[in-house]
Amino acid sequence: MNLELKSKLETLALSRSIPFCYSCYKDAPTGTCLGCGSDDCMRHLPGVGVEYGLEWVMKSIVESECSAIDVTEWFDNYLREVYPDTVSIGWLNGIDPVMAMEQLDPIAFDIAKSEWLDQEVEEERLITLDNGSTYYAADELEGLG
């Protein structure tokens, strides 16, 4: 994830969450607990929970405000842009090339999809916050605020 987008998400996470003293089990809005004086605060995201760090807050915000993409649908659309014409196989005409590639060589198709996905992440068009379980369009994340 590019530093500018990560910084924006961290700022958003800080603004939406509240420092929380787990020892006293209460919010510490100043960053220091008024009860015990500790500054080792967790983050409290109202309605979601309490935990250390900002990564989980960022993930929660993105999950609630952005739509995860369907990787298969995006890859199929990409292939249809690259191969817009139908193909002929033997006496069969007008066959969708994406369907043909997927059916004729599913292993190569899965490898191509995986390589395409890696490239999209590397070029920061797609973003994942959970190590590849879910992907989001980078331009949608940039619109958060």
Side-chain angles (χ1 to χ4, degrees), residues 26-92:
K26 62 182 179 180
D27 287 342
T30 64
T32 302
C33 180
L34 299 176
C36 67
S38 174
D39 64 353
D40 185 24
C41 294
M42 301 174 102
R43 300 304 296 183
H44 174 212
L45 186 59
V48 179
V50 176
E51 185 60 69
Y52 281 106
L54 291 175
E55 294 290 327
W56 73 276
V57 178
M58 295 183 326
K59 185 175 181 254
S60 179
I61 291 169
V62 169
E63 286 175 348
S64 67
E65 297 183 22
C66 297
S67 300
I69 67 154
D70 179 342
V71 172
T72 300
E73 181 181 329
W74 276 51
F75 181 62
D76 289 354
N77 290 339
Y78 162 74
L79 287 177
R80 286 190 177 95
E81 288 175 17
V82 174
Y83 304 103
D85 300 326
T86 58
V87 295
S88 296
I89 300 174
W91 62 87
L92 303 173

